[in-house]
Amino acid sequence: VLGAVPLVELCIHYASEDRDRCFESLHYTHPCRAWESDPGVLPRSIEVLTFGADDVTLECLRDLPRLRELHLGTRNKQRHDVAPVWFRELTSLRRFEVCNAVPAEWASQLRCMRLEAVTFILDPLFNIEISDVDPSDDFGLFVDAPCGDSLAEFRLQSSVMLRAPACLCDFPHLRHLDLSSSEELTELPENLGRLPLVVLNLNLTNVRDLPVS
């Protein structure tokens, strides 16, 4: 029935069955979430999709030819996250946001897509497995790839990142860079000032010196 509704934007949250854990969504194996495995369940008209749930099964995204903005929610909370090999087939996608996905496991898929905005939020408070993951070098795969050429907005938040990715300087159209809430960050790439940045957010970081522009 839902697939026949001409929706353009959809936000999905699951309520917890445990009143004492009201901020946690249903486990991914719960019967109420079985629909996530059906690639034909969502309206093909959807352009903006937001999941407020953990470890969403991504098969439900496969047949969304107009999807341009995806907020994927939290990964690696209840099971190990793996980027599906077909994800790059979502050729209409332009904006991608995810929490606690390991960048190295997604970069090989995202690099082939003409994304304009990418957000990775890494919070070890909710996932001990990423507590020692420094993502500084994981985005080098974007360089000399469609994603690196099209990227205009990039947000990376990590409490263990000491230096910003050097590859940022190889994203020629990057205009909006957000590294806020990366408390351990102290160093920016020397050539960052050569980019056409109009927004640079370093709030709640330890960066003290800016590159010469």
Side-chain angles (χ1 to χ4, degrees):
V1 177
L2 180 61
V5 181
L7 295 177
V8 175
E9 184 169 351
L10 180 62
C11 182
I12 300 170
H13 291 262
Y14 297 107
S16 174
E17 294 181 317
D18 187 345
R19 293 182 178 180
D20 295 330
R21 306 174 71 179
C22 58
F23 294 106
E24 294 191 12
S25 64
L26 293 179
H27 195 272
Y28 72 93
T29 59
H30 194 282
C32 289
R33 296 185 58 173
W35 67 269
E36 296 174 7
S37 299
D38 183 353
V41 69
L42 294 175
R44 289 168 56 87
S45 57
I46 287 181
E47 297 180 15
V48 180
L49 183 57
T50 300
F51 285 102
D54 304 329
D55 301 300
V56 172
T57 300
L58 302 181
E59 288 297 317
C60 60
L61 308 176
R62 292 199 69 167
D63 197 20
L64 300 179
R66 299 183 183 179
L67 186 64
R68 58 181 174 81
E69 184 170 336
L70 176 61
H71 303 267
L72 201 48
T74 300
R75 315 296 290 172
N76 285 307
K77 189 165 186 181
Q78 302 165 345
R79 58 176 168 175
H80 178 67
D81 178 45
V82 177
V85 296
W86 52 262
F87 194 82
R88 66 184 69 184
E89 298 172 10
L90 299 176
T91 56
S92 62
L93 194 64
R94 294 296 178 266
R95 306 182 68 88
F96 176 81
E97 177 179 311
V98 68
C99 179
N100 283 0
V102 178
E105 297 182 0
W106 277 86
S108 61
Q109 290 295 316
L110 299 182
R111 71 184 302 270
C112 302
M113 308 173 73
R114 295 200 173 277
L115 298 172
E116 297 172 358
V118 170
T119 294
F120 273 82
I121 300 173
L122 305 178
D123 189 346
L125 290 178
F126 294 96
N127 182 4
I128 192 63
E129 292 183 7
I130 65 166
S131 61
D132 59 351
V133 174
D134 186 340
S136 302
D137 299 320
D138 293 336
F139 297 97
L141 287 176
F142 287 5
V143 177
D144 296 326
C147 185
D149 292 337
S150 61
L151 199 61
E153 300 180 26
F154 184 65
R155 180 187 179 196
L156 177 59
Q157 177 182 324
S158 168
S159 60
V160 298
M161 179 171 60
L162 302 177
R163 54 186 175 85
C167 62
L168 293 174
C169 300
D170 295 313
F171 302 154
H173 303 294
L174 191 65
R175 295 173 56 82
H176 185 135
L177 177 59
D178 186 345
L179 301 172
S180 62
S181 298
S182 300
E183 297 93 342
E184 299 298 321
L185 180 65
T186 60
E187 183 180 343
L188 298 176
E190 291 184 3
N191 294 328
L192 193 67
R194 298 180 182 178
L195 292 175
L197 290 177
V198 295
V199 175
L200 176 59
N201 188 349
L202 298 173
N203 189 38
L204 298 179
T205 69
N206 273 308
V207 174
R208 296 293 179 263
D209 298 309
L210 295 178
V212 178
S213 60

Coordinates of all heavy atoms in Angstrom, one line a residue, residues 1-14 32 35-36 38-46 49 51 60 63-64:
V1 N 0.8 -1.2 0.0 CA 0.0 0.0 0.0 C 0.9 1.3 0.0 O 0.6 2.2 -0.8 CB -0.9 0.0 1.2 CG1 -1.7 1.3 1.2 CG2 -1.9 -1.2 1.2
L2 N 1.9 1.3 0.9 CA 2.8 2.5 0.9 C 3.4 2.8 -0.4 O 3.6 3.9 -0.8 CB 3.8 2.3 2.0 CG 4.8 3.4 2.2 CD1 4.1 4.7 2.7 CD2 5.9 3.0 3.2
G3 N 3.8 1.7 -1.1 CA 4.5 1.9 -2.4 C 3.6 2.7 -3.4 O 4.2 3.2 -4.4
A4 N 2.3 2.7 -3.2 CA 1.4 3.4 -4.2 C 1.2 4.9 -3.9 O 0.6 5.6 -4.6 CB 0.1 2.7 -4.3
V5 N 1.7 5.3 -2.7 CA 1.5 6.7 -2.3 C 2.6 7.6 -2.9 O 3.8 7.2 -2.8 CB 1.6 6.8 -0.7 CG1 1.4 8.3 -0.3 CG2 0.5 5.9 -0.1
P6 N 2.3 8.7 -3.6 CA 3.3 9.5 -4.3 C 4.1 10.4 -3.3 O 4.2 11.6 -3.4 CB 2.5 10.3 -5.2 CG 1.2 10.5 -4.5 CD 0.9 9.2 -3.8
L7 N 4.8 9.8 -2.4 CA 5.6 10.5 -1.4 C 6.9 11.1 -2.0 O 7.5 10.4 -2.9 CB 5.9 9.6 -0.2 CG 4.8 9.1 0.7 CD1 5.3 8.2 1.8 CD2 4.0 10.3 1.3
V8 N 7.3 12.2 -1.6 CA 8.5 12.8 -2.0 C 9.6 12.8 -0.9 O 10.7 12.6 -1.1 CB 8.3 14.3 -2.5 CG1 9.7 14.9 -2.8 CG2 7.4 14.3 -3.7
E9 N 9.1 12.9 0.4 CA 10.0 12.9 1.5 C 9.4 12.0 2.6 O 8.2 12.0 2.9 CB 10.1 14.3 2.1 CG 11.1 14.4 3.2 CD 11.5 15.8 3.6 OE1 11.1 16.7 2.8 OE2 12.2 16.0 4.6
L10 N 10.2 11.2 3.2 CA 9.8 10.2 4.2 C 10.8 10.1 5.4 O 12.0 10.0 5.1 CB 9.6 8.8 3.6 CG 9.1 7.7 4.5 CD1 7.7 8.0 5.1 CD2 9.1 6.4 3.8
C11 N 10.3 10.2 6.6 CA 11.1 10.0 7.8 C 10.6 8.8 8.6 O 9.4 8.7 8.9 CB 11.1 11.3 8.6 SG 12.2 11.2 10.1
I12 N 11.5 7.9 9.0 CA 11.1 6.6 9.6 C 11.8 6.5 11.0 O 13.0 6.5 11.0 CB 11.4 5.4 8.7 CG1 10.6 5.5 7.4 CG2 11.0 4.1 9.4 CD1 11.0 4.5 6.4
H13 N 11.0 6.3 12.0 CA 11.5 6.1 13.4 C 10.8 4.9 13.9 O 9.6 4.6 13.6 CB 11.3 7.3 14.3 CG 12.2 8.4 14.0 ND1 13.3 8.7 14.6 CD2 12.0 9.4 13.0 CE1 13.9 9.8 14.1 NE2 13.1 10.3 13.2
Y14 N 11.4 4.1 14.8 CA 10.8 3.0 15.5 C 10.8 3.3 17.0 O 11.8 3.7 17.6 CB 11.6 1.7 15.3 CG 11.6 1.2 13.8 CD1 12.8 1.4 13.1 CD2 10.5 0.7 13.2 CE1 12.8 0.9 11.8 CE2 10.5 0.3 11.9 CZ 11.7 0.4 11.2 OH 11.7 0.0 9.9
C32 N 8.5 -6.2 12.9 CA 8.0 -4.9 12.4 C 9.0 -4.3 11.4 O 8.6 -3.4 10.7 CB 7.7 -4.0 13.6 SG 6.3 -4.4 14.5
W35 N 10.0 -5.4 6.6 CA 9.8 -4.7 5.3 C 11.1 -4.1 4.8 O 11.1 -3.8 3.5 CB 8.7 -3.6 5.5 CG 9.2 -2.4 6.4 CD1 9.1 -2.3 7.7 CD2 9.9 -1.3 5.9 NE1 9.7 -1.2 8.2 CE2 10.2 -0.5 7.1 CE3 10.3 -0.8 4.7 CZ2 10.9 0.7 7.0 CZ3 11.0 0.4 4.6 CH2 11.3 1.1 5.8
E36 N 12.1 -3.8 5.6 CA 13.3 -3.2 5.1 C 14.0 -4.1 4.1 O 14.9 -3.6 3.3 CB 14.2 -2.9 6.3 CG 13.7 -1.9 7.3 CD 14.6 -1.8 8.5 OE1 15.7 -2.4 8.5 OE2 14.2 -1.1 9.5
D38 N 12.6 -5.6 1.6 CA 11.8 -5.6 0.4 C 12.2 -4.4 -0.5 O 11.8 -3.3 -0.2 CB 10.3 -5.6 0.7 CG 9.4 -5.7 -0.5 OD1 9.9 -5.6 -1.6 OD2 8.2 -5.8 -0.3
P39 N 12.8 -4.6 -1.6 CA 13.2 -3.5 -2.5 C 12.0 -2.8 -3.2 O 12.2 -1.7 -3.8 CB 14.1 -4.1 -3.5 CG 13.7 -5.6 -3.6 CD 13.3 -5.9 -2.1
G40 N 10.9 -3.3 -3.1 CA 9.7 -2.7 -3.8 C 8.7 -2.1 -2.9 O 7.7 -1.7 -3.3
V41 N 9.1 -2.0 -1.6 CA 8.1 -1.6 -0.6 C 7.9 0.0 -0.6 O 6.8 0.5 -0.3 CB 8.4 -2.1 0.8 CG1 9.7 -1.4 1.3 CG2 7.3 -1.9 1.8
L42 N 8.9 0.7 -0.8 CA 8.8 2.2 -0.8 C 8.4 2.8 -2.1 O 8.7 2.3 -3.2 CB 10.2 2.8 -0.3 CG 10.6 2.4 1.1 CD1 12.0 3.0 1.4 CD2 9.6 3.0 2.1
P43 N 7.7 4.0 -2.0 CA 7.3 4.6 -3.3 C 8.5 5.0 -4.1 O 9.5 5.6 -3.6 CB 6.5 5.9 -2.8 CG 6.1 5.5 -1.4 CD 7.2 4.6 -0.8
R44 N 8.5 4.8 -5.4 CA 9.6 5.2 -6.3 C 9.7 6.7 -6.4 O 10.7 7.1 -7.0 CB 9.4 4.5 -7.6 CG 9.6 3.0 -7.6 CD 9.1 2.3 -8.9 NE 9.7 2.9 -10.1 CZ 10.9 2.5 -10.6 NH1 11.6 1.6 -10.0 NH2 11.4 3.1 -11.7
S45 N 8.8 7.4 -5.9 CA 8.8 8.9 -6.0 C 9.6 9.5 -5.0 O 9.9 10.7 -5.0 CB 7.3 9.4 -6.0 OG 6.7 9.0 -4.8
I46 N 10.1 8.8 -4.0 CA 10.8 9.4 -2.8 C 12.1 10.0 -3.3 O 12.9 9.4 -4.0 CB 11.1 8.3 -1.8 CG1 9.8 8.0 -1.0 CG2 12.1 8.8 -0.7 CD1 9.9 6.9 0.1
L49 N 15.0 10.7 2.1 CA 14.6 9.6 3.1 C 15.5 9.7 4.3 O 16.7 9.8 4.2 CB 14.9 8.3 2.3 CG 14.5 7.0 3.1 CD1 13.0 7.0 3.6 CD2 14.8 5.8 2.2
F51 N 16.2 7.9 8.1 CA 16.0 6.8 9.0 C 16.5 7.3 10.4 O 17.7 7.6 10.6 CB 16.8 5.6 8.6 CG 16.2 4.8 7.5 CD1 16.7 5.0 6.2 CD2 15.1 4.0 7.6 CE1 16.2 4.3 5.1 CE2 14.5 3.3 6.6 CZ 15.1 3.5 5.3
C60 N 15.7 -2.0 0.9 CA 14.5 -1.2 0.6 C 14.8 0.0 -0.2 O 14.0 0.7 -0.7 CB 13.8 -0.8 1.9 SG 14.8 0.2 3.1
D63 N 15.3 0.3 -5.3 CA 14.4 0.7 -6.4 C 13.8 2.1 -6.2 O 12.6 2.3 -6.3 CB 13.3 -0.3 -6.5 CG 12.6 -0.2 -7.9 OD1 13.2 0.3 -8.8 OD2 11.4 -0.7 -8.0
L64 N 14.7 3.0 -5.9 CA 14.3 4.4 -5.6 C 15.1 5.3 -6.6 O 16.1 5.9 -6.3 CB 14.6 4.9 -4.2 CG 13.9 4.1 -3.1 CD1 14.3 4.6 -1.7 CD2 12.4 4.2 -3.3

